[in-house]
Amino acid sequence: SLTCPAKQFTAMNTALGEASELLNPVTEDQTILRTSLAHSLLELLCINKHYDLPQRLFEVGEVVIGGRNHRRLAAVFIHPRASFTEAKGLAEAILRELGCDGSYIIKPHDRPEFIKGRCAGIVQQQGSGTIGWFGEYHPQVIVNFELGHPVGGVELDLEKL
């Protein structure tokens, strides 16, 4: 759950967020608590880029936002034809398997780590606002992680489901 601003925000092409800082970090690479799972998965894709494509990874883990833990599920995939449509299908399949059929709507959403127009938010019809997002990662994010192929991903806040 420990990371640094360069990995959490800069590499993901996002503005510095409200990450909880450690008072006495042991290393420069572990100065904040992560606010998203996606960067960890993209780092793993980078580490494993010498393996054949396609590659698909997922994680269920904790993030800290506003001093409070949130359990999230994230998944990424990489291959030459990775797309927004595949990310949408993955998000819908996960939601269906979690028993959330019909309890959400998909709306256009802009997040800086995704290509503009190729990102969507998942909103519960009753109550808790945006519960997740999916899309196709921005080319700059792909370059930052030295991946060289299109990458798609999904991230859901499991506590809001």
Side-chain angles (χ1 to χ4, degrees), residues 5 14 61 69 71 73 82 95 100 105 107 133 150 152 154 156 160:
T14 59
N69 286 16
R71 183 167 296 275
L73 178 147
L95 289 165
C100 298
I105 55 176
K107 291 185 171 183
W133 50 87
V154 177
L156 298 170
K160 290 183 178 179

Side-chain angles (χ1 to χ4, degrees), residues 64-124:
V64 179
I65 300 170
R68 187 170 165 263
N69 286 16
H70 295 263
R71 183 167 296 275
R72 295 253 180 105
L73 178 147
V76 295
F77 52 91
I78 182 172
H79 58 86
R81 299 188 61 164
S83 67
F84 172 83
T85 304
E86 185 177 356
K88 181 180 185 226
L90 178 59
E92 289 174 334
I94 292 168
L95 289 165
R96 183 177 51 252
E97 291 299 317
L98 292 173
C100 298
D101 275 348
S103 65
Y104 64 90
I105 55 176
I106 295 174
K107 291 185 171 183
H109 197 62
D110 279 331
R111 294 183 60 89
E113 66 265 35
F114 293 106
I115 297 171
K116 190 170 181 65
R118 294 187 190 177
C119 174
I122 304 164
V123 181
Q124 268 190 333

Side-chain angles (χ1 to χ4, degrees), residues 11-150:
M12 292 297 292
N13 206 32
T14 59
L16 292 177
E18 295 182 28
S20 299
E21 292 186 38
L22 298 176
L23 294 176
N24 298 307
V26 176
T27 70
E28 290 181 10
D29 286 343
Q30 298 180 335
T31 59
I32 62 171
L33 297 169
R34 66 185 176 179
T35 58
S36 171
L37 299 177
H39 84 281
S40 300
L41 294 174
L42 292 170
E43 281 187 73
L44 282 173
L45 287 177
C46 180
I47 291 167
N48 290 301
K49 66 185 173 185
H50 60 282
Y51 291 111
D52 290 339
L53 298 179
Q55 293 181 27
R56 293 173 175 84
L57 301 171
F58 76 95
E59 178 181 0
V60 174
E62 300 285 327
V63 300
V64 179
I65 300 170
R68 187 170 165 263
N69 286 16
H70 295 263
R71 183 167 296 275
R72 295 253 180 105
L73 178 147
V76 295
F77 52 91
I78 182 172
H79 58 86
R81 299 188 61 164
S83 67
F84 172 83
T85 304
E86 185 177 356
K88 181 180 185 226
L90 178 59
E92 289 174 334
I94 292 168
L95 289 165
R96 183 177 51 252
E97 291 299 317
L98 292 173
C100 298
D101 275 348
S103 65
Y104 64 90
I105 55 176
I106 295 174
K107 291 185 171 183
H109 197 62
D110 279 331
R111 294 183 60 89
E113 66 265 35
F114 293 106
I115 297 171
K116 190 170 181 65
R118 294 187 190 177
C119 174
I122 304 164
V123 181
Q124 268 190 333
Q125 288 188 2
Q126 299 178 2
S128 61
T130 303
I131 58 172
W133 50 87
F134 60 87
E136 191 175 337
Y137 282 99
H138 193 280
Q140 187 59 55
V141 173
I142 293 168
V143 168
N144 292 347
F145 285 95
E146 303 171 5
L147 295 173
H149 293 282

